[in-house]
Amino acid sequence: MLPFDRSEYVGRMKKVQAQMIAKDIDALLITDPANMCYLAGHDAWSFYVHQMLLITLDDEMPIFIGRYMDAFSGVVKTTWLDENHVRAYSDDYVQSTIKHPMDYVSDVMKELKLDNKRIAVEMDNYYFTAAAYLSLKEGLPNAQLVNGNVLVNWVRIIKSHGEIELMKRAGKIAEKAMQAAVDTLEAGARQCDVAASIFGAQIRGTAEFGGDYPSIVPLLPAGKAAGAPHLTWTDERYPENIIVAVELAGCHQRYHSPMARTVSIGKPSEEAHRVAEITVEGLNAALEAAKPGNTCEDIEGAWRNVIAKYGIEKESRIGYSMGLNYPPDWGEHTASLRPGDKTILKPNMTFHCIPGMYFDDFGVSISESFRITENGYETFANFPRKLFIK
Amino acid sequence: MLPFDRSEYVGRMKKVQAQMIAKDIDALLITDPANMCYLAGHDAWSFYVHQMLLITLDDEMPIFIGRYMDAFSGVVKTTWLDENHVRAYSDDYVQSTIKHPMDYVSDVMKELKLDNKRIAVEMDNYYFTAAAYLSLKEGLPNAQLVNGNVLVNWVRIIKSHGEIELMKRAGKIAEKAMQAAVDTLEAGARQCDVAASIFGAQIRGTAEFGGDYPSIVPLLPAGKAAGAPHLTWTDERYPENIIVAVELAGCHQRYHSPMARTVSIGKPSEEAHRVAEITVEGLNAALEAAKPGNTCEDIEGAWRNVIAKYGIEKESRIGYSMGLNYPPDWGEHTASLRPGDKTILKPNMTFHCIPGMYFDDFGVSISESFRITENGYETFANFPRKLFIK
């Protein structure tokens, strides 16, 4: 059932434990669902309640701590963890106004004699709230709580061969999903019907492999609202002339390949046409800078040089490391393609380069997801890099 | 573009401000995307970066604080907030390893002379991390940070007429989505193709109104894994004989109507058949207890009495308040249908009652979403309450 064999999970654990040793961490509490999946193979929509992995230095297997409902029938049956590595709190802890699941976690830490140790937590993860921190701090007064945020994420940044294969599959699904968008975007179509076509293609996948839910739903900002890149859709009908920026991802076994393309319903304005051409030229230049030895900021610099020729400046980053993830983000929160990011590119790092151009009355977004190869880059999807005109 | 008129938003703000006064809170920082939508009408997939609403006592309009990319072209164009009520941080704060968006928020609080006030934050919300709390605590040493968790959620528990109408629409969409599941679940079908059919129906909606993305993807635990209720799907094919527990929601303009039904591919075992009948009997009894004046625990007690007759005990809660929401949960994190919850039922409270019966080798889940009426309850969807046999 698991997408990787046990040795890959053990190898990942070893890399994380090496980081723990380097940072003088005795125990690591992992709440990021992507990190939990990466290390335990745990894949379920149970992250809406408090759950985590406990990683120590002397055990190759992490311990899952979570809700009883998810623990034994779920974790033990679907991950490489055995039942000795599962601890579960009773259901009255769930969304309780009188007690907190982290109180239970403190008890587990005491039982394992970790309560006077140096314990790292993922301080800025969605699934490690302020209340979780405060409960743990109160429950473990003799522990030293330190920041282990994105520690595992940085281990994830270079993908294994097996992970790359899953991302290539995700790229194939992204092609199908984007084709569904291009096919259905037309004057008179309801936005929700276009979104439904995209979802259908994303989840069906291909005849050979199925689709998984991407960590972000299709984003379809259009017309004047296209300047706001994170809008979703309504049930309004598209008018005769409008530009729609489509951002979506293919996803397979939680691995993503995001893609943005822009579709003009009706003839685009001169300006939109020009912006699209500049975007493609800039994106191509960025991709040419994507090779081992260069840095993340080199990729952004190549883009910046192109748009500067045309008198355009763009404030925001143009991409980020990505791969395995869960809602609400497919980005890994490690390397970003922006000035100042001196992360050195290495083979099998994987990025989404999305230099969105957002203006007051329209937006153009054309992107590629790719891996760094031995001497350059390889995109996960193969889809025309242009403004589509319907 | 907004689903409610300005007076409804102002009314919601007044209720929240009354709670703030009662709790001696000068300023409230709201990070829950559902609460942000409830009070500002803000609806975008921008919650993966730090963003919030600031509510004070002397302004009927909240202030949005978020990423520049989302602020002016998004918030100002799509909510009832004017541009004087929007503050935006620059893109280099996003997922930075050297600074935190909450540092910017502290600066805003100082500028507004709120830095020595009693400030409430949503301590246990997914979108208020430990790092956010620690940054704010450091940035505002003279402020008193107190817990405003679920303060707005409790205001949301009684829905307006307009909200109920949106939930009825969500109920119609839930019917279509569940019908898609029942129609496509069969031996030989790939799990992902069933999921794709469900997604298609969820997002298309009806001819009259479109669907929105539910806060949780369809959950399709099957066979032995059906004991683990939060599993999603794979691309494996269903065998000749298996029981699939389907949990999904219809969603319209972020309002949900969840529903669970169970489908047996092939003839169900005697035991599964019996469990399904007990579940329906228990659910019916629970619904009969759903009326003004009763409490949340009365609903659970009615269910518990029925299953006790058959010698069954169930540990977990059987439901929760729900309505407007964003990933990763459609539950409101306020009232739960479980022992000890003495919340008194009032008209237009809305619940999902899902008494899932999870066993080692199969699971049965049959649920209803409903509102409390003047003298009883009304379900949002109308779908046969039974075990489906294909």
Side-chain angles (χ1 to χ4, degrees):
Chain A
M1 189 155 178
L2 288 172
F4 307 99
D5 62 25
R6 184 184 173 118
S7 65
E8 180 149 348
Y9 291 106
V10 172
R12 294 170 180 183
M13 282 291 289
K14 285 199 172 123
K15 285 183 199 162
V16 168
Q17 286 162 328
Q19 286 298 313
M20 289 169 64
I21 290 168
K23 293 179 162 60
D24 200 19
I25 294 167
D26 302 309
L28 177 60
L29 284 173
I30 292 296
T31 43
D32 183 327
N35 291 339
M36 292 178 67
C37 182
Y38 186 72
L39 295 172
H42 181 248
D43 177 24
W45 195 288
S46 52
F47 43 83
Y48 74 94
V49 299
H50 291 282
Q51 60 174 21
M52 67 211 65
L53 294 180
L54 166 61
I55 297 161
T56 55
L57 293 174
D58 53 3
D59 192 343
E60 69 170 11
M61 191 179 278
I63 294 174
F64 173 90
I65 311 173
R67 185 183 189 178
Y68 188 87
M69 181 188 285
D70 301 310
F72 292 96
S73 50
V75 172
V76 174
K77 283 186 186 171
T78 63
T79 74
W80 71 287
L81 275 54
D82 60 39
E83 62 183 14
N84 296 323
H85 286 77
V86 171
R87 305 297 174 103
Y89 58 79
S90 56
D91 215 70
D92 53 345
Y93 280 96
V94 175
Q95 297 166 5
S96 167
T97 50
I98 51 174
K99 55 186 180 176
H100 198 281
M102 275 292 168
D103 305 342
Y104 174 84
V105 176
S106 290
D107 292 341
V108 172
M109 299 300 275
K110 283 175 200 158
E111 181 207 319
L112 297 175
K113 303 200 186 333
L114 295 167
D115 55 312
N116 59 348
K117 300 292 187 184
R118 197 168 142 91
I119 302 166
V121 291
E122 295 180 307
M123 288 286 191
D124 209 17
N125 187 263
Y126 310 107
Y127 300 98
F128 190 71
T129 63
Y133 172 77
L134 292 172
S135 164
L136 210 56
K137 203 164 167 58
E138 191 183 327
L140 301 172
N142 301 319
Q144 194 185 348
L145 291 184
V146 299
N147 194 356
N149 202 50
V150 298
L151 182 152
V152 179
N153 306 48
W154 278 106
V155 171
R156 277 163 47 203
I157 195 168
I158 294 179
K159 274 70 180 174
S160 70
H161 177 73
E163 290 182 287
I164 294 292
E165 288 307 304
L166 297 183
M167 293 179 77
K168 286 182 177 176
R169 291 182 176 194
K172 292 286 164 217
I173 296 171
E175 292 169 9
K176 286 186 172 279
M178 190 58 78
Q179 192 60 54
V182 172
D183 288 345
T184 55
L185 274 166
E186 57 188 22
R190 294 193 308 174
Q191 296 184 20
C192 57
D193 292 330
V194 173
S197 297
I198 295 170
F199 268 110
Q202 286 175 318
I203 308 301
R204 266 194 313 276
T206 74
E208 291 77 36
F209 42 83
D212 204 346
Y213 60 91
S215 296
I216 305 177
V217 297
L219 302 173
L220 296 166
K224 291 195 176 177
H230 297 115
L231 294 183
T232 51
W233 60 86
T234 70
D235 51 15
E236 283 173 31
R237 291 178 190 280
Y238 288 106
E240 293 289 339
N241 285 287
I242 194 163
I243 289 178
V244 186
V246 182
E247 184 178 355
L248 54 76
C251 183
H252 181 68
Q253 295 195 291
R254 307 309 319 136
Y255 282 83
H256 291 75
S257 178
M259 184 195 292
R261 289 293 183 272
T262 302
V263 179
S264 177
I265 299 175
K267 193 171 152 40
S269 68
E270 290 270 329
E271 194 193 356
H273 197 75
R274 179 175 158 270
V275 167
E277 289 200 334
I278 295 169
T279 302
V280 172
E281 184 184 340
L283 175 59
N284 290 343
L287 289 169
E288 289 309 313
K291 55 187 174 191
N294 271 1
T295 63
C296 283
E297 71 173 359
D298 289 337
I299 296 178
E300 199 273 348
W303 153 266
R304 181 177 294 264
N305 286 342
V306 169
I307 62 171
K309 280 198 311 188
Y310 300 100
I312 300 176
E313 274 187 54
K314 180 177 149 59
E315 185 229 15
S316 53
R317 64 175 184 175
I318 65 159
Y320 43 80
S321 180
M322 59 84 209
L324 170 70
N325 233 321
Y326 285 84
D329 194 6
W330 54 51
E332 280 176 350
H333 297 200
T334 50
S336 286
L337 308 180
R338 64 177 157 203
D341 193 316
K342 301 193 187 298
T343 307
I344 295 169
L345 302 174
K346 291 181 185 161
N348 286 345
M349 286 186 175
T350 53
F351 295 94
H352 181 211
C353 181
I354 175 165
M357 299 276 256
Y358 311 118
F359 299 94
D360 275 350
D361 51 353
F362 74 102
V364 169
S365 195
I366 298 173
S367 80
E368 291 292 354
S369 289
F370 61 89
R371 74 179 180 102
I372 302 293
T373 62
E374 290 302 319
N375 46 26
Y377 71 95
E378 177 186 31
T379 61
F380 290 117
N382 180 11
F383 204 82
R385 211 174 287 165
K386 66 171 193 178
L387 175 68
F388 287 81
I389 301 172
K390 290 288 297 267
Chain B
M1 188 156 177
L2 287 172
F4 307 99
D5 62 24
R6 184 183 173 118
S7 66
E8 179 147 348
Y9 292 106
V10 172
R12 294 171 178 182
M13 282 290 289
K14 285 200 172 125
K15 284 184 198 162
V16 168
Q17 287 162 326
Q19 286 297 314
M20 290 169 63
I21 291 169
K23 293 179 162 62
D24 200 17
I25 294 166
D26 301 310
L28 177 61
L29 284 173
I30 292 295
T31 44
D32 183 328
N35 291 339
M36 292 179 67
C37 182
Y38 186 73
L39 295 173
H42 181 249
D43 177 26
W45 195 290
S46 52
F47 42 84
Y48 75 93
V49 298
H50 290 283
Q51 59 174 21
M52 68 212 63
L53 294 181
L54 166 61
I55 297 160
T56 55
L57 292 174
D58 54 3
D59 192 343
E60 69 169 13
M61 192 179 276
I63 294 173
F64 173 90
I65 311 173
R67 186 183 189 179
Y68 188 87
M69 181 187 286
D70 300 311
F72 292 96
S73 49
V75 173
V76 174
K77 283 187 187 172
T78 64
T79 74
W80 70 287
L81 275 54
D82 61 39
E83 62 184 13
N84 295 322
H85 287 77
V86 170
R87 304 299 174 102
Y89 58 80
S90 57
D91 216 70
D92 54 344
Y93 280 97
V94 174
Q95 298 167 4
S96 166
T97 51
I98 51 174
K99 56 186 181 175
H100 198 281
M102 274 293 167
D103 305 342
Y104 174 84
V105 175
S106 290
D107 292 342
V108 172
M109 298 301 274
K110 284 175 198 157
E111 181 208 320
L112 297 175
K113 302 198 186 335
L114 294 168
D115 55 313
N116 60 349
K117 300 292 188 185
R118 197 169 142 92
I119 302 166
V121 292
E122 295 180 307
M123 288 286 191
D124 208 17
N125 187 262
Y126 311 107
Y127 301 96
F128 190 71
T129 64
Y133 171 77
L134 292 171
S135 164
L136 210 57
K137 203 164 167 60
E138 192 183 328
L140 301 173
N142 300 318
Q144 194 186 347
L145 292 184
V146 298
N147 194 355
N149 202 51
V150 298
L151 183 152
V152 179
N153 305 49
W154 279 105
V155 171
R156 277 163 48 203
I157 197 169
I158 294 179
K159 274 70 180 175
S160 70
H161 177 73
E163 291 181 286
I164 294 292
E165 288 306 306
L166 297 182
M167 293 179 78
K168 286 182 176 176
R169 292 181 174 193
K172 293 286 165 218
I173 296 170
E175 292 169 9
K176 286 185 172 283
M178 189 57 78
Q179 191 62 55
V182 172
D183 288 346
T184 55
L185 273 166
E186 58 188 22
R190 294 194 308 173
Q191 296 184 20
C192 57
D193 292 329
V194 173
S197 297
I198 296 170
F199 268 110
Q202 285 175 318
I203 308 300
R204 267 194 312 277
T206 74
E208 292 77 37
F209 43 82
D212 204 345
Y213 59 90
S215 296
I216 305 177
V217 297
L219 301 173
L220 296 166
K224 290 195 175 177
H230 297 114
L231 294 183
T232 52
W233 61 87
T234 70
D235 51 16
E236 284 173 32
R237 291 179 190 280
Y238 288 106
E240 293 288 340
N241 284 288
I242 196 163
I243 290 178
V244 186
V246 181
E247 184 178 354
L248 53 76
C251 184
H252 180 68
Q253 295 195 290
R254 307 309 320 135
Y255 282 83
H256 291 74
S257 177
M259 184 195 294
R261 289 293 184 272
T262 301
V263 179
S264 176
I265 298 175
K267 191 170 152 39
S269 68
E270 290 268 329
E271 196 193 355
H273 197 76
R274 178 175 157 269
V275 167
E277 290 201 333
I278 294 169
T279 302
V280 172
E281 185 184 339
L283 175 58
N284 289 343
L287 290 170
E288 289 309 313
K291 56 187 173 190
N294 271 2
T295 63
C296 283
E297 71 173 359
D298 290 336
I299 295 177
E300 200 272 347
W303 152 266
R304 182 177 293 265
N305 286 343
V306 168
I307 62 171
K309 278 197 312 187
Y310 299 100
I312 300 175
E313 274 186 54
K314 179 178 150 60
E315 186 229 13
S316 53
R317 65 175 184 174
I318 64 160
Y320 42 81
S321 181
M322 59 82 208
L324 170 71
N325 232 321
Y326 285 83
D329 195 7
W330 54 51
E332 280 177 349
H333 298 199
T334 50
S336 286
L337 307 180
R338 65 177 156 202
D341 193 317
K342 301 194 185 299
T343 307
I344 295 168
L345 302 173
K346 291 180 185 162
N348 285 345
M349 286 184 174
T350 54
F351 295 93
H352 182 211
C353 181
I354 176 165
M357 300 277 256
Y358 311 118
F359 299 94
D360 275 351
D361 51 353
F362 74 101
V364 169
S365 197
I366 299 173
S367 81
E368 291 291 351
S369 290
F370 60 90
R371 74 179 179 102
I372 303 291
T373 60
E374 291 301 319
N375 46 26
Y377 71 96
E378 178 186 30
T379 61
F380 289 117
N382 181 11
F383 204 82
R385 209 175 289 164
K386 66 171 193 179
L387 174 69
F388 287 81
I389 301 173
K390 290 287 299 269

